Amino acid sequence: MANRRNIYFFHKRSDDIVEKIQHLYDLAERYSFNIVNDYSIANIIVSIGGDGTFLQAVRKTGFRDDCLYAGISTTGNLNMYCDFYLDSTSKMIEAMTSENIEVRRYPTIEIKLDDQPSFYALNELSLRSSVIKTFVVEVFIDELHFETFRGDGIVVATPTGSTAYNKSVNGSIVDPTLPCFQVSELASLNNNTYRTLGSSFILGPDRKLTLKLMQESKDYPTIGMDNEAMSIRNIKNIEVSLSGKAIKTVKLKDNSFWEKVRRTFL
Ligand code: NAP
Ligand code: MN
């Protein structure tokens, strides 16, 4: 059983952070957790920072679906992916000592860029023009040619990503208990030549979204996954589907997704 208590802390290594979080290391030791430096053998991966840090923690540790992730907020605000506050350890102790902790599963999307191995995203895939001009994308749902998009970009968000970029472009907030993903437009051109749906749409778990980039010049749109820009260029085909990998986090009392939404936005 001992190796099920391997814990890995993900945070900036700057001196001020290390000093501020020393009590977490002490706490983990006091409750007989084994602090590891290699995340691949960790059973619990703890991100210390904000939502952006949590996204990085998941990305840098390879979207593992066989371990538990936990977010500890250092920002003072409550964040969507952070269930714990840095300075209030009672909730952490409760989670560390309880026999049956409830687990939440956050859907992620799988992204295929041409023939490359799959990428994953916890918030979203974003496609944005990297120049002042628009770009053109042929949008397919499964094998159906759905629309021809011309504009600034497209955002494909997971349910937990629905409160991030997706929300800023008027997408809906989606309950993470629904396995689905949402497609939203960034400033689409609509005229007699180009016509898009104009509203966000949500695809079910067995759908595949294909975005075919129509290259009109040497400029390529920027491909973003969560808070990272991909350096890959010259991509023609992007396929997005719901992935089989869910990100597991600890479920706490009084901290449901909708409580967080109310707390953050209302
Ligand atoms: P950032 O530019 O610092 O983040 C923007 C804000 O989004 C931060 O306040 C961040 O919270 C928050 N955030 C991140 N994920 C969220 C979520 N699932 N629900 C609600 N808020 C969320 O960059 P970042 O912190 O690395 O976050 C990356 C995310 O920023 C991207 O995945 C994208 O969703 C979002 N983004 C938004 C826009 C926009 O709204 N116009 C444009 C680009 C990117 P913290 O302060 O706790 O980190
Ligand atoms: Mn941030």
Side-chain angles (χ1 to χ4, degrees), residues 50-53:
D51 283 339
T53 318

PDB file of all heavy atoms in Angstrom, residues 50-53, ligand 2:
ATOM      1  N   GLY A  50      -2.357  28.794  -9.563  1.00  0.00           N
ATOM      2  CA  GLY A  50      -3.730  29.110  -9.984  1.00  0.00           C
ATOM      3  C   GLY A  50      -4.220  28.078 -10.975  1.00  0.00           C
ATOM      4  O   GLY A  50      -3.644  26.987 -11.082  1.00  0.00           O
ATOM      5  N   ASP A  51      -5.268  28.426 -11.710  1.00  0.00           N
ATOM      6  CA  ASP A  51      -5.766  27.504 -12.733  1.00  0.00           C
ATOM      7  C   ASP A  51      -4.721  27.263 -13.822  1.00  0.00           C
ATOM      8  O   ASP A  51      -4.579  26.151 -14.327  1.00  0.00           O
ATOM      9  CB  ASP A  51      -7.044  28.068 -13.374  1.00  0.00           C
ATOM     10  CG  ASP A  51      -8.245  27.887 -12.466  1.00  0.00           C
ATOM     11  OD1 ASP A  51      -8.188  27.020 -11.579  1.00  0.00           O
ATOM     12  OD2 ASP A  51      -9.238  28.623 -12.642  1.00  0.00           O
ATOM     13  N   GLY A  52      -4.015  28.332 -14.170  1.00  0.00           N
ATOM     14  CA  GLY A  52      -2.971  28.200 -15.187  1.00  0.00           C
ATOM     15  C   GLY A  52      -1.921  27.180 -14.764  1.00  0.00           C
ATOM     16  O   GLY A  52      -1.435  26.391 -15.584  1.00  0.00           O
ATOM     17  N   THR A  53      -1.579  27.180 -13.483  1.00  0.00           N
ATOM     18  CA  THR A  53      -0.598  26.211 -12.969  1.00  0.00           C
ATOM     19  C   THR A  53      -1.163  24.796 -13.040  1.00  0.00           C
ATOM     20  O   THR A  53      -0.455  23.857 -13.396  1.00  0.00           O
ATOM     21  CB  THR A  53      -0.242  26.536 -11.493  1.00  0.00           C
ATOM     22  OG1 THR A  53      -0.096  27.939 -11.361  1.00  0.00           O
ATOM     23  CG2 THR A  53       1.024  25.826 -11.056  1.00  0.00           C
TER      24      THR A  53
HETATM   25 MN    MN B   2      -3.032  32.392 -14.850  1.00  0.00          MN
END
